[in-house]
Amino acid sequence: MFESNQNTIRYKWDPETSTGYQLRFDAEGAAKGGHYCFHVEDWNCRTVTNEWPCQDLTEALEVLNHFFTVDVQQERERLSAWLPAEYRAAA
């Protein structure tokens, strides 16, 4: 599930409880030259319980793959269209 206004993609998400995993791209941080522009967040009942800052999209997908099976290459290709063009180099 894409949330373009928040630059997030949700995985294994339950909308009633806001529970699951979220991949967030920090566009503001990327614009300032930040090194950890991707964040994997573990949500439980509308609260972030854990967060893993990642240097690139591959690292973020590998973190998600730790929790459930993700085809990293396929997901990387799918998400390349999601990132703003000026930040694709960060992936």
Side-chain angles (χ1 to χ4, degrees), residues 19-20 23 39 42 45-46 49 55 63 72-74 77 81 85:
T19 298
L23 172 59
H39 300 266
D42 181 2
C45 295
R46 298 178 173 81
T49 58
Q55 290 186 353
V63 169
V72 173
Q73 183 61 33
Q74 181 181 5
E77 291 171 9

Side-chain angles (χ1 to χ4, degrees), residues 8-28:
T8 61
I9 297 174
R10 295 177 175 160
Y11 296 87
K12 304 282 185 181
W13 195 258
D14 177 1
E16 289 185 26
T17 62
S18 292
T19 298
Y21 298 96
Q22 180 169 280
L23 172 59
R24 180 174 53 84
F25 178 69
D26 180 5
E28 185 177 316

Side-chain angles (χ1 to χ4, degrees), residues 8-83:
T8 61
I9 297 174
R10 295 177 175 160
Y11 296 87
K12 304 282 185 181
W13 195 258
D14 177 1
E16 289 185 26
T17 62
S18 292
T19 298
Y21 298 96
Q22 180 169 280
L23 172 59
R24 180 174 53 84
F25 178 69
D26 180 5
E28 185 177 316
K32 294 178 181 177
H35 296 286
Y36 294 94
C37 300
F38 295 89
H39 300 266
V40 174
E41 300 170 337
D42 181 2
W43 284 69
N44 190 356
C45 295
R46 298 178 173 81
T47 303
V48 176
T49 58
N50 280 307
E51 179 181 1
W52 296 268
C54 302
Q55 290 186 353
D56 57 28
L57 182 57
T58 300
E59 183 181 3
L61 292 173
E62 288 171 356
V63 169
L64 286 170
N65 196 40
H66 175 76
F67 298 111
F68 55 91
T69 303
V70 174
D71 182 331
V72 173
Q73 183 61 33
Q74 181 181 5
E75 194 65 5
R76 175 183 252 300
E77 291 171 9
R78 186 176 79 90
L79 297 179
S80 66
W82 167 64
L83 286 172

